[in-house]
């Protein structure tokens, strides 16, 4: 039985397999980028994604299926225990510029506010650059929260249905990727607040 006619197979993904092989002629292609990102398991279940990569590998085509798309780096994609490493120069070249957002954040040590944000790698949708512009002038203490809010207000293409692989929405996973990256860079400048219990008044 062919993959196209197999029970419970996703006809769109099966069509994607054939089209990818025909259009790439043995070259690499990050499937999450064409025709559109993997929005959730309902679009491309994990098992079918594995099959798709196998089918294309047999045709000499390297395939990556990042979920979310903004988890793609030059060497891996996906997050947590679902992370998958890959080795392909064409996809890696694309991922140098688009995929998992990466910033170089400069913080003014006196004011502890963000003075500059250089975008090393943007998300494919442009969300990274949008967030970077909105972070300038923000206190290091508030940067992580602000990054999350900016991401939330950007027209993210990730799905809002709960994904069975993460028990969370792909949009939230996408936002957390960005927030964690910002939090790590501003951490040395954050002001620690310690709460000391007061004495009970007589």
């Amino acid at each position: 039985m062919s993959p196209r006619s197999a029970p419970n197979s996703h006809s769109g993904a099966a069509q994607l397999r054939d089209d990818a092989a025909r259009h790439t002629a043995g070259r690499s292609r990050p499937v999450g980028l064409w025709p559109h990102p993997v929005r959730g398991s309902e679009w491309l279940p994990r098992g079918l994604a594995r099959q798709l990569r196998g089918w294309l590998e047999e045709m000499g085509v390297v395939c990556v299926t990042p979920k979310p798309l903004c988890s793609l780096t030059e060497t891996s994609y996906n997050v947590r225990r679902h992370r998958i490493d890959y080795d392909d120069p064409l996809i890696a070249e694309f991922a140098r510029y688009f995929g998992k957002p990466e910033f170089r954040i400069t913080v003014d040590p006196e004011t502890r506010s963000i003075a500059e944000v250089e975008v090393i790698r943007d998300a494919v949708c442009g969300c990274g650059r949008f967030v970077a512009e909105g972070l300038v002038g923000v206190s290091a203490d508030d940067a992580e929260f602000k990054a999350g809010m900016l991401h939330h207000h950007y027209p993210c293409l990730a799905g809002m249905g709960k994904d069975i692989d993460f028990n969370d929405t792909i949009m939230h996973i996408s936002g957390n990727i960005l927030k964690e990256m910002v939090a790590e860079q501003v951490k040395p400048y954050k002001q620690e607040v310690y709460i000391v219990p007061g004495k009970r008044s007589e």
Side-chain angles (χ1 to χ4, degrees):
M1 180 178 293
S2 69
R4 187 185 298 279
S5 59
N8 301 320
S9 67
H10 192 295
S11 60
Q15 181 66 48
L16 175 61
R17 177 206 65 169
D18 297 335
D19 288 347
R22 183 167 59 253
H23 284 83
T24 58
R27 301 183 67 185
S28 311
R29 180 176 296 277
V31 168
L33 311 181
W34 177 77
H36 54 74
V38 179
R39 293 171 55 89
S41 294
E42 73 283 355
W43 186 84
L44 187 64
R46 191 191 334 160
L48 187 54
R50 189 183 305 112
Q51 285 183 308
L52 181 61
R53 292 192 297 269
W55 293 331
L56 291 173
E57 184 178 4
E58 292 174 0
M59 301 175 188
V61 178
V62 177
C63 164
V64 299
T65 53
K67 184 176 71 171
L69 181 55
C70 49
S71 67
L72 178 67
T73 74
E74 292 148 290
T75 58
S76 67
Y77 58 95
N78 294 356
V79 296
R80 303 175 187 169
R81 61 188 178 88
H82 302 295
R83 173 177 161 171
I84 298 175
D85 295 325
Y86 75 93
D87 181 13
D88 182 82
L90 290 177
I91 298 176
E93 178 65 16
F94 178 90
R96 284 181 59 192
Y97 306 100
F98 301 104
K100 184 178 181 180
E102 182 180 347
F103 300 162
R104 183 178 292 120
I105 298 176
T106 302
V107 178
D108 185 321
E110 294 185 1
T111 64
R112 296 188 306 104
S113 63
I114 295 176
E116 182 181 3
V117 182
E118 180 184 357
V119 179
I120 307 301
R121 177 170 50 223
D122 198 358
V124 175
C125 65
C127 180
R129 192 166 299 278
F130 174 78
V131 172
E133 292 172 354
L135 286 176
V136 175
V138 174
S139 166
D141 296 333
D142 303 326
E144 181 181 356
F145 175 78
K146 182 67 172 180
M149 292 303 295
L150 288 165
H151 176 278
H152 181 74
H153 288 100
Y154 191 81
C156 179
L157 300 177
M160 272 301 292
K162 182 173 286 189
D163 187 88
I164 60 173
D165 288 337
F166 301 109
N167 196 34
D168 198 353
T169 70
I170 298 300
M171 179 176 284
H172 288 161
I173 297 297
S174 172
N176 288 338
I177 288 174
L178 205 152
K179 286 169 58 180
E180 290 168 6
M181 180 269 296
V182 170
E184 182 64 26
Q185 293 203 38
V186 301
K187 185 177 180 180
Y189 301 95
K190 292 184 68 174
Q191 189 173 53
E192 298 290 344
V193 178
Y194 298 96
I195 300 176
V196 179
K199 293 183 179 180
R200 182 177 178 179
S201 59
E202 297 296 328

